[in-house]
Amino acid sequence: MCRSCLWIVITLTLFQLQFPTSDEEVHQRVRSLDSLQIALRTQPHSFVSRFLESSGLTCLLNLLAGMDWDTAQSAIHTAALGCVKAIMNNSTGRAHVLAHVTGVNTISQSLGSENIKAKVAALEILGALCLVPGGHKKVLEAMLHYQSFASERTRFQGIINDLDRSLGKYRDDVSLKVSRV
């Protein structure tokens, strides 16, 4: 296990244990996650493999699953999803995301956020997973999970409702509507 991967996993674990208490702390965590995202996109494949072997994906998914309401509405949520997207830039990363027991379900829970960028990122990840063999089925299962998680009557109720919204902060958000389609 490389030291940098171990340090990153420890940092992600610490993020899970304590919610941010100030705007500066949120900003610091976003910078850390953005740095991780850049490393996952630009470092050699061996770095991504070591990160995955060090339980990095599990730490990211635990961070997503354990966010309080305020954190889920912050840029931390978007940055964490950006790291998951970066992991999926190669076949090894995609395979790890699909093979994770609760991974796709955890990503689908991000659809419940009021953070539009987080919703778009989650939809982009789910859409990309649909293109991978076996991914379509996992995404449909995750949407069933989200239906239960969000207490929706039908599987895609929230997505359809967001498409239909014509008032408030969603009115002019074309990126959200395009990603939902």
Side-chain angles (χ1 to χ4, degrees):
M1 182 181 308
C2 71
R3 285 187 189 173
S4 63
C5 290
L6 181 59
W7 177 83
I8 292 168
V9 169
I10 290 170
T11 301
L12 290 172
T13 303
L14 291 173
F15 285 177
Q16 297 168 40
L17 297 175
Q18 184 178 15
F19 299 123
T21 56
S22 68
D23 289 342
E24 179 57 35
E25 195 172 345
V26 168
H27 185 66
Q28 177 73 25
R29 290 183 186 198
V30 169
R31 279 193 314 222
S32 296
L33 289 166
D34 285 346
S35 295
L36 173 59
Q37 180 181 353
I38 291 167
L40 290 167
R41 289 189 192 280
T42 60
Q43 292 294 316
H45 186 303
S46 60
F47 175 82
V48 177
S49 295
R50 286 190 311 264
F51 179 75
L52 294 169
E53 291 166 6
S54 303
S55 300
L57 175 62
T58 300
C59 286
L60 276 172
L61 293 171
N62 289 342
L63 176 64
L64 286 168
M67 288 183 181
D68 66 343
W69 177 256
D70 291 333
T71 306
Q73 309 318 312
S74 74
I76 294 172
H77 195 168
T78 308
L81 286 168
C83 291
V84 174
K85 283 174 65 174
I87 288 171
M88 290 180 46
N89 272 346
N90 64 60
S91 58
T92 304
R94 285 189 297 275
H96 272 79
V97 171
L98 278 175
H100 195 279
V101 176
T102 60
V104 183
N105 288 350
T106 300
I107 294 164
S108 74
Q109 290 175 198
S110 293
L111 297 174
S113 174
E114 292 295 319
N115 179 340
I116 293 173
K117 291 180 180 180
K119 283 185 182 190
V120 170
L123 286 167
E124 289 172 349
I125 292 168
L126 295 172
L129 287 172
C130 284
L131 302 175
V132 177
H136 188 262
K137 182 179 178 186
K138 290 282 272 193
V139 170
L140 286 176
E141 290 168 359
M143 292 309 297
L144 280 172
H145 166 78
Y146 180 71
Q147 176 185 353
S148 172
F149 173 79
S151 302
E152 294 183 340
R153 288 184 312 124
T154 60
R155 185 169 27 190
F156 296 101
Q157 179 180 341
I159 293 173
I160 299 303
N161 288 346
D162 282 348
L163 277 172
D164 190 44
R165 292 197 178 150
S166 58
L167 300 172
K169 62 185 172 186
Y170 296 100
R171 181 182 62 238
D172 297 323
D173 199 324
V174 175
S175 65
L176 177 62
K177 290 184 179 184
V178 168
S179 68
R180 290 199 179 270
V181 172

